[in-house]
Amino acid sequence: LQFTKNFAPSTSKEIQQAARFVQGDWLALTPHQIDDYLMCPLNFYYLHVLEVPQPPQPALMYGTLMHGLIHSYYLQRKSGEVNVAALHEALDTQWRNEGFVSRGQEQRRKQQAHHTLDAFIERHNAEHQPPTYMEMPFEFELTDIKVRIRGRMDAVVESKDGVEIRDYKTSQVDDKKKADKKAKDSLQLATYALAWKTIDRKST
């Protein structure tokens, strides 16, 4: 009897939809959440509805850190002087070692981060037109399906030739054709372009 009681199915109950997704009759999502759902609805459910705790993810830490350093770099450019040593010091200070399988893996990844930062600075120091906006927030509506999409664009560059929307990624893609295809197929960039059109219409 005790065995039956211990292992009997628990009473099922409906899991309520997370309140942060619902705004009245509207559904509110971010591009990242939409991407997660299209990749795997079950994974979306675990991550964003059940909010199952995730182990430390070095790739996520790496990407977040590099995004912050890029933002700091452009703030320095705006002030008139880029302090490369300070950026590398910030990388060391903000680095987190959780989630790596070994000390050696962590050290290799950290060394790669410093090389990536140097390469980014060298490439973008020659850039004549820095971003007009960094970490630009947006929100727009798909009224026919009652969905609000909100997020932030990494960078927007306005020039006489048009508008360039950037989404900084830390994945290594050396082939330009592959990089162009990846950008063309990017749901995030498509969402940013739609958001910009909405913002541009409001400003005119």
Side-chain angles (χ1 to χ4, degrees):
L1 290 177
Q2 187 66 32
F3 178 87
T4 303
K5 182 179 179 181
N6 285 344
F7 293 94
S10 59
T11 304
S12 63
K13 67 176 182 179
E14 183 179 354
I15 297 175
Q16 298 298 316
Q17 191 174 30
R20 66 185 180 283
F21 295 134
V22 181
Q23 297 177 353
D25 294 332
W26 290 73
L27 190 62
L29 296 168
T30 67
H32 178 66
Q33 290 166 347
I34 295 171
D35 200 36
D36 281 346
Y37 182 83
L38 293 176
M39 288 290 291
C40 178
L42 184 59
N43 191 52
F44 172 92
Y45 181 68
Y46 287 146
L47 288 176
H48 303 293
V49 179
L50 296 183
E51 296 184 296
V52 175
Q54 300 296 302
Q57 300 180 47
L60 181 60
M61 179 278 295
Y62 185 93
T64 301
L65 175 57
M66 297 306 293
H67 269 71
L69 293 171
I70 289 170
H71 186 62
S72 297
Y73 163 79
Y74 278 118
L75 288 177
Q76 289 186 6
R77 277 198 63 175
K78 190 174 181 180
S79 69
E81 183 180 355
V82 175
N83 188 332
V84 177
L87 291 171
H88 281 283
E89 183 178 351
L91 191 160
D92 287 329
T93 301
Q94 298 171 35
W95 185 265
R96 297 291 177 267
N97 60 8
E98 295 91 349
F100 292 96
V101 298
S102 68
R103 179 69 173 169
Q105 185 199 40
E106 182 212 343
Q107 289 300 314
R108 288 190 297 272
R109 191 63 167 157
K110 190 174 183 180
Q111 185 179 35
Q112 181 187 20
H114 281 289
H115 289 323
T116 299
L117 179 59
D118 280 332
F120 179 89
I121 292 171
E122 181 179 358
R123 183 168 64 251
H124 289 269
N125 272 346
E127 182 181 45
H128 298 297
Q129 182 66 41
T132 313
Y133 306 102
M134 291 288 298
E135 300 294 330
M136 182 180 182
F138 67 83
E139 181 174 312
F140 67 97
E141 297 177 346
L142 302 175
T143 55
D144 54 334
I145 57 175
K146 290 193 172 183
V147 172
R148 289 192 181 99
I149 301 177
R150 64 193 187 282
R152 289 179 180 272
M153 302 180 198
D154 288 350
V156 177
V157 181
E158 293 181 295
S159 69
K160 62 180 181 180
D161 297 322
V163 176
E164 177 188 348
I165 299 174
R166 297 177 181 176
D167 182 36
Y168 295 115
K169 296 295 185 186
T170 52
S171 58
Q172 186 67 35
V173 180
D174 295 325
D175 187 274
K176 187 178 186 304
K177 288 185 178 179
K178 290 182 180 179
D180 289 344
K181 185 179 186 306
K182 196 169 184 178
K184 184 178 179 180
D185 296 340
S186 170
L187 174 65
Q188 277 192 312
L189 285 176
T191 305
Y192 295 164
L194 185 57
W196 180 260
K197 287 182 178 180
T198 304
I199 294 168
D200 194 46
R201 283 199 301 270
K202 289 180 179 178
S203 63
T204 56

